[in-house]
Amino acid sequence: MAVSTGIEKLDEILDGGFQENRTVLVTGPPGAGKSTLAMNFLQAGLENDEHCTYISTEQTPDELRDTFEPFSFDLTDELFTVLSLHARPGSGTDQYDQGTIVETYGADRTDDDVDRHLLRTLEGADEIDDHYIDFTPANLREFFRCNISGDRVVVDSISGLRSVSENEQTYRRFLLDLIQLINDHHDATALFTAESSRPNTNGMQTGQFSVDELTQYNLHGVIRLQRNRLRGTDRRLLEILKMRGVAYDDRTFELMFDDEGIRILPENRTFSSTLRVTNHVPTGIDGLDTLLGGGILSGESTVVQHDGKAEVGGILYVILSNILKEERSIALLPRINSQPLFLQSVFERLGTPMDDLLDDDRLFVFDHHGVWDDHQNIFKSAEDESGIKSAMTTIHDRSRSQGVVLSLDTNTLRHMLGEETTRQVRSWLQSSVVTATDAIIDIHNPALLQDDLAAFHVDLASQLLETWMNDTGLQYVQLHKSPTGDTGAVRLIEYLDKPPYVRVVT
């Protein structure tokens, strides 16, 4: 069951929110928004009539009130408990007088006083307890066991509990016990904050210790906040590093403050569908269609860039076969090394026999090397600008379908026509040939094109997909540009031995 984070967009990113009775770590540098995000989480619980506990190891109750004063958080709610644990060495002569800690370090101080700490407890606006404890793992576990109550718990921050042990293994064991105590014994959902060990913008370490490495493997989820300088302005960023059992959005988002606490932006990464009339040609690969927001764009062009190592031809033929099954026609300019027998066997296995498609005026092929058998829909003379234009006019006149999808290998087209003529032909196709029911797919390896020609195709396209293979042999696809879909999202490509043969995994 999902528990709301109190931030609408963050709930969406996390597919509903935090998992119930689990603990999530929020890490980041000072001022990134960790405490405010934590209070948003508790405020959502208060509005749902849940008991909430806020444990601060770095701020007094008065400091917390000052911190949250700009926001609409209800710190006086009777369901809200604050525990202020000052995890700092004290002394045997420390005195508490009217809300003030007076620390005296003198000759009377003994070693036994070093690890004594002030604990101040409040419920709503009323202070109810104030005492010292020996700061040991056993004492703190007992304190948390006896004093925590509620459905939601925040510990802000676990960095302030570091002095419980100089030994990292003991500290980690204490945190594991604390997590189990909160999640299992108290049946609560928890959020921990910690200073990040990652460098800040000036390259200095922002945390006192490597809390990320110490704790993130033992926690259900990790959210990282950052502060970056962008063209002279300070930007706060949010990224989900880990969330077990949740299909979360792993992209980077911006974070800002408003009266209600934290707001996550952008709400959408593509132009509003209510303002744009967009039709799609489904690729037949569910995960890819989801990434694209429905499929390739009808009436426009889509660029598919590859690195020369990733599989492209097989994916393309699966897509084209699926499009053909939807009563559309295909005009294909294949890669230079494509062989007719290979293409014929692929289409046959995919259930769209190539010979039947040619005879039915559904498939048209530009034969740039004269290796295809003679057929009225195999265009052998399309080797220059006039030949391409004549063939495209014939294809539109002859096609007996609801639209034509042109699949053009840009590297082959440039090899046939040269760079400048390729520009002219592509501009002509886009402006004079493609109708509202047609579509163009341009496929190329940018490394084999002049930079300006690759940039020309990207500028001309309404969608830009990139696919590549990394050093581990895994193939990915990313949507860089589109008026619809999840721009910026990266997906894994998986190949199957049976239909649908290709899967794009979220």
Side-chain angles (χ1 to χ4, degrees):
M1 179 177 175
V3 175
S4 175
T5 66
I7 304 169
E8 184 177 354
K9 185 63 181 180
L10 186 54
D11 285 347
E12 179 185 325
I13 293 168
L14 294 173
D15 196 28
F18 299 140
Q19 294 299 292
E20 189 176 27
N21 297 343
R22 295 293 184 267
T23 298
V24 172
L25 174 69
V26 179
T27 181
K34 300 185 298 296
S35 298
T36 308
L37 190 151
M39 193 60 215
N40 266 115
F41 166 65
L42 295 183
Q43 182 64 36
L46 296 175
E47 293 172 0
N48 199 37
D49 294 328
E50 298 175 16
H51 290 271
C52 298
T53 300
Y54 192 112
I55 303 163
S56 176
T57 66
E58 297 179 346
Q59 297 188 81
T60 67
D62 286 340
E63 289 171 337
L64 284 173
R65 293 188 190 99
D66 291 341
T67 296
F68 296 132
E69 193 276 332
F71 309 112
S72 58
F73 301 140
D74 187 2
L75 303 185
T76 63
D77 194 298
E78 62 181 8
L79 298 177
F80 183 52
T81 299
V82 176
L83 306 178
S84 179
L85 173 61
H86 286 229
R88 296 176 299 186
S91 79
T93 58
D94 285 355
Q95 298 175 11
Y96 173 65
D97 181 19
Q98 297 180 349
T100 302
I101 304 171
V102 181
E103 297 181 350
T104 305
Y105 296 92
D108 294 334
R109 185 182 182 200
T110 68
D111 291 340
D112 291 337
D113 295 323
V114 172
D115 288 328
R116 298 180 66 80
H117 302 263
L118 180 66
L119 204 64
R120 187 177 298 165
T121 308
L122 300 93
E123 286 185 356
D126 300 322
E127 189 172 295
I128 64 171
D129 197 9
D130 173 46
H131 58 275
Y132 287 93
I133 64 171
D134 288 328
F135 206 62
T136 66
N139 282 353
L140 284 178
R141 278 193 294 268
E142 182 65 14
F143 168 77
F144 282 117
R145 188 185 69 81
C146 295
N147 289 277
I148 289 178
S149 63
D151 304 292
R152 301 183 184 219
V153 174
V154 164
V155 180
D156 182 24
S157 74
I158 59 172
S159 302
L161 301 177
R162 182 63 178 90
S163 58
V164 73
S165 174
E166 294 300 322
N167 184 298
E168 290 185 355
Q169 295 302 320
T170 303
Y171 174 76
R172 181 184 287 136
R173 182 68 259 172
F174 164 71
L175 285 181
L176 285 172
D177 290 345
L178 181 58
I179 293 165
Q180 185 177 26
L181 185 68
I182 294 173
N183 295 156
D184 299 336
H185 180 76
H186 293 292
D187 293 325
T189 306
L191 188 152
F192 291 175
T193 73
E195 293 296 309
S196 174
S197 62
R198 292 174 61 85
N200 61 17
T201 53
N202 62 13
M204 300 296 291
Q205 293 293 315
T206 59
Q208 296 177 345
F209 64 94
S210 183
V211 69
D212 308 68
E213 289 76 8
L214 276 177
T215 62
Q216 65 174 314
Y217 299 108
N218 301 317
L219 291 163
H220 182 75
V222 179
I223 299 175
R224 182 171 69 201
L225 307 185
Q226 299 179 75
R227 296 184 68 173
N228 285 355
R229 297 292 291 178
L230 178 65
R231 297 189 176 183
T233 63
D234 192 24
R235 318 299 296 189
R236 291 177 172 85
L237 305 177
L238 177 146
E239 181 183 9
I240 310 299
L241 297 186
K242 163 185 169 183
M243 203 64 61
R244 292 174 184 162
V246 175
Y248 60 87
D249 191 331
D250 58 3
R251 291 174 291 181
T252 300
F253 292 81
E254 276 216 7
L255 177 154
M256 63 172 290
F257 300 108
D258 62 17
D259 292 342
E260 296 182 355
I262 280 179
R263 184 179 175 196
I264 306 296
L265 299 171
E267 290 291 335
N268 297 295
R269 292 178 185 250
T270 55
F271 203 59
S272 173
S273 59
T274 62
L275 300 177
R276 180 185 178 95
V277 179
T278 303
N279 294 317
H280 294 91
V281 180
T283 67
I285 301 173
D286 291 342
L288 183 58
D289 286 336
T290 299
L291 177 65
L292 294 170
I296 63 174
L297 293 171
S298 184
E300 302 185 53
S301 64
T302 297
V303 166
V304 179
Q305 293 183 341
H306 62 90
D307 63 353
K309 296 184 293 183
E311 169 59 44
V312 178
I315 298 175
L316 175 65
Y317 295 144
V318 169
I319 292 172
L320 296 182
S321 178
N322 292 335
I323 290 174
L324 285 164
K325 292 174 183 176
E326 297 299 321
E327 300 303 319
R328 291 180 184 269
S329 296
I330 296 294
L332 176 64
L333 175 62
R335 297 177 67 177
I336 292 176
N337 61 352
S338 294
Q339 296 297 318
L341 287 178
F342 171 74
L343 185 58
Q344 186 173 16
S345 66
V346 171
F347 275 123
E348 185 76 33
R349 291 173 184 271
L350 292 172
T352 49
M354 193 173 72
D355 290 342
D356 293 346
L357 294 169
L358 288 168
D359 292 342
D360 293 341
D361 297 326
R362 298 279 312 288
L363 175 64
F364 307 89
V365 180
F366 297 95
D367 182 10
H368 47 81
H369 277 309
V371 295
W372 292 71
D373 293 338
D374 290 338
H375 192 284
Q376 67 170 354
N377 290 331
I378 301 293
F379 298 93
K380 296 180 178 293
S381 61
E383 298 179 352
D384 55 24
E385 182 176 359
S386 61
I388 291 282
K389 290 183 176 180
S390 175
M392 282 308 307
T393 301
T394 301
I395 289 169
H396 260 280
D397 291 343
R398 195 175 290 167
S399 174
R400 292 183 290 180
S401 65
Q402 300 175 1
V404 179
V405 175
L406 284 74
S407 174
L408 306 174
D409 186 83
T410 309
N411 298 106
T412 301
L413 191 64
R414 185 200 60 80
H415 178 75
M416 291 167 51
L417 305 178
E419 184 174 337
E420 186 56 38
T421 305
T422 296
R423 290 172 180 270
Q424 295 172 3
V425 167
R426 274 299 285 110
S427 296
W428 174 79
L429 288 172
Q430 192 77 42
S431 61
S432 304
V433 176
V434 175
T435 69
T437 59
D438 297 331
I440 299 179
I441 305 175
D442 290 301
I443 307 103
H444 63 252
N445 181 354
L448 301 180
L449 296 177
Q450 296 285 344
D451 290 344
D452 55 351
L453 183 58
F456 164 79
H457 280 81
V458 170
D459 184 60
L460 198 64
S462 295
Q463 286 178 323
L464 171 61
L465 275 168
E466 179 190 9
T467 184
W468 70 97
M469 183 178 292
N470 69 8
D471 293 339
T472 65
L474 296 174
Q475 185 173 345
Y476 294 91
V477 62
Q478 183 174 19
L479 181 62
H480 289 288
K481 172 184 178 181
S482 180
T484 61
D486 293 332
T487 56
V490 177
R491 300 289 183 260
L492 175 70
I493 294 178
E494 180 183 20
Y495 297 101
L496 309 173
D497 291 330
K498 56 185 179 179
Y501 297 108
V502 179
R503 180 183 293 155
V504 175
V505 184
T506 301

